[in-house]
Amino acid sequence: MRQVIEEYGTVDSVKLIVDRDTKKSKGFAFVEMPDSTEAGQVIKELNGAEYEGRQMVVKEALPRK
């Protein structure tokens, strides 16, 4: 995942979310990027793209209410 995102800019961190019991990916991740312009480009280019046989949903994470 990091390598795909890094094609668009600098990545500070990638946190893949995994199931505690099975240790398998839950199918989503959080990526932090220092540059909002680059992050916007990632969202624009990769939302809807296929990654490892699955369609990606790429959007800005918002705080819970």
Side-chain angles (χ1 to χ4, degrees), residues 5-61:
I5 304 293
E6 282 181 335
E7 291 179 20
Y8 298 90
T10 304
V11 174
D12 281 345
S13 68
V14 175
K15 171 98 173 150
L16 293 172
I17 307 304
V18 295
D19 184 274
R20 290 183 202 175
D21 298 327
T22 65
K23 306 294 186 223
K24 291 184 179 182
S25 171
K26 287 191 171 188
F28 65 98
F30 293 96
V31 177
E32 292 185 45
M33 299 180 75
D35 186 310
S36 61
T37 303
E38 291 176 350
Q41 189 65 25
V42 169
I43 293 168
K44 180 181 173 187
E45 295 291 327
L46 293 182
N47 189 39
E50 188 174 305
Y51 178 73
E52 294 188 354
R54 297 177 70 176
Q55 185 177 15
M56 292 193 292
V57 174
V58 183
K59 60 184 177 182
E60 183 177 357

